[in-house]
C-alpha cells in the first residue's frame, strides 16, 4: 500500500508541476492601453454587419474594448464581400469581427484569434498567409466571433479596416487571398491534414516561389511536388490540382517577392514552433499515459 501511495503522489505532482505554469501565463498581457500610432491613427474595430446588440457587446468584451477606448468602429457587410471578392455574395450574413492595429514597416504580422472556440475552420497562421497574399503587412490583428462561424468573413473586414487606415489593396490579390484561405480550410477539413501542417505547406511553397521566381505553371507544379515530398504530405489528385491552381495564381500576381521573404520566414518560424509544441505535448501526454499504465500494473502486482 505504501508503494501505491508513493506512485499516486508522484503522479499528481508530475501533472500539477507540468500543467500549472501554462495556465498561470495564459492571460499575462494585462489591460494597459497601448499608445496610438499617430501615423496610422487609432486602431480600427470592424464588426460583422449581422451582429445584434448582445452579440456586438460580446465581441467588444472579447476584444477588451471599453467605453472611452481610443478606437475607430466600422461595420462589414455583404456589400464589402462583393467588393473584395469576385464571386462575393452581397446578401451574405457577416458575424466575424476583428480589431486591426497598423504597425511600422518591419514589425510583421501578429494574428490572434481571441475566441478560438467560435472560429471553427481558420487558424492564426491561415489568416497570416492570406493577409500576406492580399498585401497586408505590419499589423496586429485580433479576431472574434460571438457564435460559431467558419471565420472566412473576418478577412473581408480586415481588408476594409486596412484601407480605412490608409492602406491600399489590389482587388486581384484580395480575391486570390480569399481563395487561398478556402484551399487551406479544404486541405485541413476535407483532406484531413493537420491545420499547422497545412500552413507550413503553404508558407514553404510561397517561400520557394519568392526565391525561384517560377516562369510557368509547370515550374509551380514542380515546387508544389517538392514541398509535398519534403513535408511527407499525400494529397488526392483533385486536392493537389487545387493547390497548384492557387499557387500559380499567386505566381502571376503583381508582387515584389523580394519583400515577402522576411515575413514568410517569420511565419515559417512561428509555424515550426507551433508544430514543435504539438510534438512536445504529444510526448508529454504519452508519458502520462505510460506512467498510469505502469501505475496500474504496480497496483495489480500489489493486490494480485
Amino acid at each position: 500500500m505504501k508503494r501505491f501511495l508513493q506512485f499516486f503522489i508522484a503522479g499528481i505532482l508530475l501533472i500539477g508541476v507540468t500543467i500549472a505554469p501554462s495556465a498561470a501565463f495564459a492571460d499575462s498581457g494585462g489591460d494597459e492601453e497601448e499608445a496610438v500610432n499617430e501615423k496610422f491613427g487609432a486602431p480600427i474595430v470592424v464588426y460583422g454587419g449581422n451582429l445584434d446588440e448582445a452579440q456586438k457587446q460580446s465581441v467588444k468584451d472579447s476584444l477588451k474594448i471599453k467605453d472611452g477606448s481610443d478606437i475607430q468602429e466600422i461595420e462589414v457587410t455583404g456589400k464589402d464581400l462583393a467588393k473584395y471578392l469576385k464571386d462575393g455574395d452581397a446578401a451574405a450574413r457577416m458575424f466575424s469581427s476583428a480589431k486591426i492595429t497598423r504597425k511600422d514597416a518591419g514589425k510583421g504580422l501578429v494574428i490572434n484569434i481571441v475566441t478560438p472556440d467560435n472560429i471553427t475552420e481558420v487558424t492564426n497562421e491561415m489568416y497570416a498567409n492570406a493577409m500576406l497574399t492580399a498585401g497586408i503587412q505590419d499589423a496586429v490583428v485580433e479576431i472574434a466571433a460571438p457564435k460559431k462561424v467558419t471565420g472566412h468573413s473576418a478577412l473581408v473586414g480586415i481588408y476594409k479596416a486596412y484601407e480605412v487606415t490608409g492602406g491600399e489593396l489590389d482587388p486581384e490579390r484580395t480575391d486570390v487571398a480569399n481563395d487561398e484561405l478556402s484551399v487551406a480550410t479544404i486541405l485541413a477539413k476535407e483532406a484531413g491534414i493537420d491545420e499547422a501542417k497545412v500552413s507550413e505547406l503553404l508558407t514553404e511553397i510561397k517561400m520557394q516561389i519568392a526565391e525561384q521566381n517560377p516562369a510557368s505553371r509547370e515550374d509551380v507544379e514542380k515546387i508544389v511536388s517538392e514541398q509535398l515530398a519534403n513535408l511527407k504530405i499525400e494529397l488526392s489528385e483533385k486536392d493537389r490540382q487545387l493547390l497548384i491552381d492557387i499557387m500559380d495564381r499567386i505566381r502571376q500576381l503583381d508582387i515584389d517577392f523580394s519583400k515577402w521573404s522576411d515575413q514568410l520566414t517569420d511565419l515559417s518560424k512561428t509555424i515550426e514552433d507551433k508544430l514543435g509544441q504539438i510534438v512536445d505535448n504529444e510526448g508529454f501526454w504519452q508519458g502520462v499515459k505510460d506512467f498510469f499504465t505502469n501505475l496500474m500494473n504496480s497496483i495489480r502486482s500489489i493486490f494480485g
Side-chain angles (χ1 to χ4, degrees), residues 233-299:
I233 295 174
E234 294 185 7
L235 295 179
S236 68
E237 187 57 29
K238 178 183 176 183
D239 289 336
R240 185 172 173 275
Q241 288 305 316
L242 272 178
L243 185 57
I244 293 169
D245 288 344
I246 194 64
M247 289 301 163
D248 190 48
R249 289 179 66 193
I250 288 174
R251 171 187 71 84
Q252 297 176 63
L253 292 174
D254 183 18
I255 295 176
D256 183 351
F257 287 107
S258 65
K259 294 182 179 179
W260 249 23
S261 297
D262 288 344
Q263 297 207 43
L264 283 169
T265 300
D266 290 343
L267 179 56
S268 178
K269 180 65 167 61
T270 299
I271 295 167
E272 285 177 6
D273 290 344
K274 185 172 183 177
L275 285 168
Q277 290 170 6
I278 292 171
V279 171
D280 289 344
N281 287 340
E282 288 176 347
F284 164 71
W285 289 114
Q286 184 61 47
V288 172
K289 180 180 177 182
D290 292 344
F291 171 83
F292 281 106
T293 298
N294 293 334
L295 175 61
M296 293 307 297
N297 289 337
S298 297
I299 292 171

Side-chain angles (χ1 to χ4, degrees), residues 26-256:
D27 188 20
S28 59
D31 291 328
E32 286 189 21
E33 191 167 348
E34 188 176 350
V36 172
N37 186 330
E38 295 178 314
K39 184 190 300 183
F40 303 116
I44 289 185
V45 177
V46 54
Y47 300 104
N50 292 99
L51 298 177
D52 60 31
E53 285 304 313
Q55 289 171 331
K56 188 174 180 180
Q57 186 58 52
S58 173
V59 167
K60 285 185 176 183
D61 293 342
S62 297
L63 294 173
K64 298 183 179 179
I65 297 168
K66 302 175 182 178
D67 291 341
S69 294
D70 196 352
I71 57 170
Q72 301 179 64
E73 295 179 291
I74 60 176
E75 286 189 348
V76 61
T77 67
K79 291 182 179 178
D80 297 303
L81 191 70
K83 172 185 175 182
Y84 290 107
L85 309 179
K86 289 179 180 178
D87 59 351
D89 181 2
R93 293 171 61 78
M94 314 285 276
F95 292 97
S96 302
S97 304
K99 176 183 177 184
I100 180 167
T101 306
R102 295 277 303 279
K103 295 293 183 180
D104 291 319
K107 293 295 184 181
L109 276 175
V110 177
I111 314 298
N112 182 24
I113 299 174
V114 299
T115 57
D117 290 342
N118 285 344
I119 304 293
T120 63
E121 291 188 3
V122 187
T123 66
N124 293 337
E125 294 76 25
M126 289 179 186
Y127 279 123
N129 251 316
M131 287 179 208
L132 286 176
T133 297
I136 297 175
Q137 303 181 56
D138 306 309
V140 174
V141 180
E142 299 164 273
I143 298 158
K147 57 186 289 185
K148 289 190 181 298
V149 294
T150 61
H152 289 77
S153 68
L155 198 57
V156 176
I158 292 164
Y159 296 158
K160 184 173 183 177
Y162 190 78
E163 292 202 319
V164 167
T165 60
E168 294 183 8
L169 297 174
D170 178 353
E172 181 67 25
R173 288 183 66 168
T174 59
D175 188 65
V176 172
N178 187 72
D179 286 348
E180 177 188 339
L181 192 63
S182 295
V183 170
T185 55
I186 286 171
L187 294 181
K189 187 177 181 181
E190 298 181 15
I193 303 172
D194 181 83
E195 294 166 338
K197 203 71 174 175
V198 170
S199 294
E200 182 183 29
L201 174 64
L202 296 179
T203 304
E204 293 300 323
I205 292 172
K206 288 157 81 171
M207 288 178 68
Q208 290 305 311
I209 290 174
E211 290 178 12
Q212 298 182 31
N213 191 24
S216 66
R217 178 185 172 87
E218 288 71 25
D219 293 336
V220 171
E221 186 169 0
K222 182 180 178 184
I223 290 172
V224 169
S225 297
E226 288 173 348
Q227 294 309 311
L228 286 171
N230 288 344
L231 297 175
K232 297 179 173 59
I233 295 174
E234 294 185 7
L235 295 179
S236 68
E237 187 57 29
K238 178 183 176 183
D239 289 336
R240 185 172 173 275
Q241 288 305 316
L242 272 178
L243 185 57
I244 293 169
D245 288 344
I246 194 64
M247 289 301 163
D248 190 48
R249 289 179 66 193
I250 288 174
R251 171 187 71 84
Q252 297 176 63
L253 292 174
D254 183 18
I255 295 176
D256 183 351

